[in-house]
Amino acid sequence: MAERLARIYGTEEDKVNCPFYLKMGACRHGDRCSRIHNKPVISQTILIQNMYMPPQQEIGPDGQPLPQDPRALQEHFEDFFEDLCEELLEIGGDLETVEVCQNLSDHLRGNVYAKFDTEDAAQRALTSLMGRFYAGRPILPQFSPVLDFREARCRQFEESECQRGGYCNFMHLKHVSSKLRRRYGLARTDRDDRDRGRDRYDRGPPPRDYRDRDYRGPPPP
């Protein structure tokens, strides 16, 4: 019996523990899920839900959304990513990887997963982020069970074949250039290897003016 429980733990056969929470650190059912969300008391990975907000799409005179420039969208994301990594390195320590979701569903949209080299580093970062704000919104960090992102990410999305779009239940991860990953000592991914040598968005040193993305507290009234 114990052997069978160990074998099915975290799989679809497990009727007690939520497999999506164990893989993704988030579940579309939230607290209403019929299965248990075993939240870790300590982990190398911290999750900040809904942290990244892309630029708002403008509406044209005809009431239809205007197309957005992919390069401008990537530059906006990389500004955010650089700011984020520098802060995490300062308050926590060395990072193993940082991943950001671009899914559209509420439980995954804009999620930031930061995996540190050690649990102690993750604990320092989480403690420092509690009660702080980013772009005027509160930061609500938590430990995440996600340690292996190969199990969480959508392979079909990375091959441009996902039929579920932004509402897929697996992570659609924002592309981070190899240059940025090297700058912050982050682990490479399979997608980095495929994109190596053809990254159109590598840029120079990160900008230092982050006044509009303040970690210290809410904006003055």
Side-chain angles (χ1 to χ4, degrees), residues 7-12 18-26 45 96-97 99 101 103 108 113 115 144-158 164 168-173 188-190:
R7 178 177 58 81
I8 68 172
Y9 179 76
T11 70
E12 287 297 328
C18 177
F20 274 101
Y21 179 77
L22 291 172
K23 286 182 180 180
M24 319 289 290
T45 304
E96 186 171 313
T97 191
E99 306 292 350
C101 289
N103 302 64
L108 291 175
Y113 298 81
K115 183 180 179 183
S144 171
V146 181
L147 297 176
D148 186 351
F149 289 89
R150 293 174 299 179
E151 295 291 322
R153 70 179 191 256
C154 177
R155 297 297 184 107
Q156 286 75 25
F157 169 73
E158 295 182 359
R164 298 181 179 87
C168 178
N169 279 326
F170 288 90
M171 293 182 188
H172 287 192
L173 298 176
R188 296 177 60 85
T189 67
D190 294 341

Side-chain angles (χ1 to χ4, degrees), residues 16-22 24-39 47 49-50 105-108 111 142 169:
V16 177
N17 303 286
C18 177
F20 274 101
Y21 179 77
L22 291 172
M24 319 289 290
C27 167
R28 64 190 177 95
H29 298 295
D31 294 336
R32 294 176 290 118
C33 184
S34 61
R35 303 184 191 183
I36 296 173
H37 292 177
N38 288 305
K39 298 184 178 182
L47 162 64
Q49 284 193 290
N50 312 128
S105 50
D106 290 341
H107 69 294
L108 291 175
N111 283 7
Q142 58 186 279
N169 279 326

Side-chain angles (χ1 to χ4, degrees), residues 101-219:
C101 289
Q102 63 181 58
N103 302 64
L104 298 178
S105 50
D106 290 341
H107 69 294
L108 291 175
R109 180 188 298 141
N111 283 7
V112 169
Y113 298 81
K115 183 180 179 183
F116 290 83
D117 281 357
T118 66
E119 292 177 348
D120 287 344
Q123 177 70 75
R124 287 194 298 270
L126 184 141
T127 300
S128 178
L129 289 171
M130 293 295 292
R132 299 171 72 178
F133 288 73
Y134 185 88
R137 295 182 295 116
I139 297 174
L140 302 173
Q142 58 186 279
F143 287 121
S144 171
V146 181
L147 297 176
D148 186 351
F149 289 89
R150 293 174 299 179
E151 295 291 322
R153 70 179 191 256
C154 177
R155 297 297 184 107
Q156 286 75 25
F157 169 73
E158 295 182 359
E159 298 292 340
S160 301
E161 297 176 354
C162 181
Q163 302 299 312
R164 298 181 179 87
Y167 292 94
C168 178
N169 279 326
F170 288 90
M171 293 182 188
H172 287 192
L173 298 176
K174 295 284 292 182
H175 171 58
V176 178
S177 69
S178 298
K179 185 174 182 179
L180 275 182
R181 288 193 178 275
R182 288 194 301 270
R183 180 183 299 165
Y184 298 112
L186 306 179
R188 296 177 60 85
T189 67
D190 294 341
R191 186 176 182 183
D192 292 331
D193 293 333
R194 289 195 297 273
D195 292 342
R196 188 177 184 182
R198 56 187 178 89
D199 192 332
R200 295 173 296 166
Y201 301 117
D202 277 355
R203 295 175 291 131
R208 298 293 175 175
D209 187 359
Y210 301 129
R211 288 171 294 180
D212 60 332
R213 299 187 290 276
D214 192 0
Y215 284 96
R216 293 169 297 177

